[in-house]
């Protein structure tokens, strides 16, 4: 590996990979910020699929991306 690639690899790991792995791990837990996280498996995702507010927010985000991306380009 070239010598110049190491700082980028360290930055990518510290700023993207580690926080991303932590967020993914927390997605499988019930965590209130007060008590220790409790593993709940895919229950969070099961509840998310049945939540109307999630689908409304997802649709709004999709519309925003589909309209704003071509306008910015």
């Amino acid at each position: 590996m070239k010598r110049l690639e190491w700082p980028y690899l360290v930055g990518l790991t510290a700023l993207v990979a580690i926080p991303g792995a932590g967020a993914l791990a927390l997605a499988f837990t019930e965590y209130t910020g007060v008590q220790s996280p409790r593993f709940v498996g895919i229950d969070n995702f099961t509840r998310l699929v049945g939540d109307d507010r999630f689908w409304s927010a997802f649709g709004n985000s999709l519309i925003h991306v589909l309209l704003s991306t071509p306008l910015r380009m």
Side-chain angles (χ1 to χ4, degrees), residues 4-63:
L4 292 175
E5 293 175 356
W6 281 104
Y8 298 111
L9 185 61
V10 170
L12 178 71
T13 302
L15 299 173
V16 177
I18 293 172
L24 183 63
L26 279 176
F28 292 97
T29 65
E30 182 180 328
Y31 182 56
T32 61
V34 177
Q35 299 173 338
S36 297
R38 184 176 65 89
F39 182 75
V40 294
I42 62 169
D43 289 345
N44 289 337
F45 297 102
T46 304
R47 283 196 343 244
L48 189 65
V49 170
D51 189 4
D52 291 336
R53 288 184 297 172
F54 167 75
W55 290 111
S56 177
F58 182 77
N60 291 339
S61 298
L62 189 61
I63 290 169

